[in-house]
Amino acid sequence: MEPSSEEWFARAQNVIPGGVSSPVRAFRSVGGTPRYVAHAHGSRITDTEGREYVDLVGAWGPMILGHAHPGVVAQVTRAVAASASFGAPCPPEVELAEEIARRVAPAERVRFTSSGTEAVMTALRLARAKTGRDVVVKFAGCYHGHADSLLVAAGSGVATLGLPDSPGVTPGTAQDTLVLPYGDVAALEELFAARGSEIACVITEAVPANMGVVPPPLGFNARLASITREHGALLILDEVMTGFRMSAAGWWGIEGATEGWQPDLFTYGKVIGGGMPLAAVAGPAATMDLLAPAGPVYQAGTLSGNPVATTAGLATLRLCTPQVYAHLDATAGAVRRIITEALTRHGVIHQAPQAGNLFSFFFTATPVRTYDDARTQNTSAFAAFFHSMLDGGVWLPPSAYEAWFVSAAHTDDDLAVIESAAHSAAAAAAKV
Ligand SMILES: *Cc1c(COP(=O)(O)O)cnc(C)c1O
């Protein structure tokens, strides 16, 4: 018989730090043992003990079409049979870059990496090379991967000098990262007035969705674009989560393209690899052509643009039709409504922020506009809610600080499972 999740996790802890390859998977913030996954198809994920769940994580975003979509599997199978990697140029990377450039006008050039973290690292290097300045401005609660200079999120209040969030990040590195409260235009203007000539770039999540979902205030991203331009700094729009999930042209396609602003660089990941390790930095040729070998800024990767990952990404993007986006929006609305009704019926204090098809739940009465607000939530109530949902056959992110993800594969049957699980889960949350 297949070992249980408990047995796998015990073995894992002997050979993998904390038993996991990425921290949130360990269930530390909700307690209990992570379930080991055997396989997943469409909207359903099955653990090693044969229990089936409705998946609302979608591998943290990439599985926008659902798991093992036949159209993607066929293309990937064909690609891997022709060798998993060449370490040489190949047609699908060109086609995928063309597909991105066609959808996002300012993304004239695309450089592929294997992770969102690397894409962001490259974007920062480009911004510093282009401006000859060192300082990076980020917002508290925005996640941009695990590069040293962005593991600085602390610093509530006004423009705080960064302190490293993780041992191993040097104070020297942290010093060049300034952290502002999300959405605080006054703090941003003050910072630029004082230190504008030192600032290489501002980086922001197109929609913050790694502290729970915090929709950008009206005009905020546009103001980031204008203030960076006024001061000769760059705006990096991190669309690793939102890119090609929110629309065919990402969140920028919804907001920037209609409001008439554009960032200097985009970062993409998650959806563009369809579940394979693939990410990208993209932007106008004048900046992107600073990258080697066109220019002097070094960046490279043994597996970058490999044929399997770029084939998976291309197949995924091509299958994301307008009908798919309409289905994602409708499904996100339906799940949010179902959970809201259950929580309301059981008197659980909550709010359900939503931007496009991304949403999450905060168990707090404080309106959440910043990371500090998000941290007022009752995480024990979320843990109780989470475990009850899991027992009821619904696979949620094991953290109160993560967005929920719907896919093209979710059906009314899935909504019914979610609805029947939600009642006991809301009751469990109400007791904490
Ligand atoms: C996931 C994520 C990253 C990091 O991407 P990895 O592939 O995990 O390195 C960066 N930025 C945002 C907004 C993300 O959601």
Side-chain angles (χ1 to χ4, degrees), residues 157-205:
V158 226
T160 313
L161 254 194
L163 283 176
D165 254 3
S166 165
V169 175
T170 66
T173 300
Q175 230 165 42
D176 285 331
T177 304
L178 303 181
V179 183
L180 295 179
Y182 186 70
D184 193 337
V185 174
L188 186 78
E189 287 170 347
E190 223 170 278
L191 178 62
F192 267 99
R195 299 185 63 180
S197 62
E198 298 168 57
I199 297 171
C201 62
V202 173
I203 183 167
T204 189
E205 283 188 64

Side-chain angles (χ1 to χ4, degrees), residues 115-117 120 143-146 205 210 238 240-241 270:
S115 67
T117 296
V120 166
Y143 181 67
H144 303 290
H146 59 93
E205 283 188 64
N210 284 287
D238 185 346
V240 170
M241 186 177 290
K270 299 192 170 104

Side-chain angles (χ1 to χ4, degrees), residues 54 56 334-335 337-339 341-342 345-346 389 392 394 412-426:
V54 173
L56 289 176
V335 175
R337 208 159 41 241
I338 287 167
I339 303 296
E341 275 170 22
R345 182 162 330 148
H346 290 274
M389 289 296 278
V394 182
D412 288 347
D413 283 351
D414 296 319
L415 296 181
V417 173
I418 293 166
E419 183 154 25
S420 71
H423 290 287
S424 358

Side-chain angles (χ1 to χ4, degrees), residues 11-31:
R11 278 170 63 179
Q13 282 168 297
N14 287 328
V15 283
I16 300 174
V20 290
S21 299
S22 194
V24 180
R25 298 178 195 169
F27 273 32
R28 290 279 170 101
S29 68
V30 291

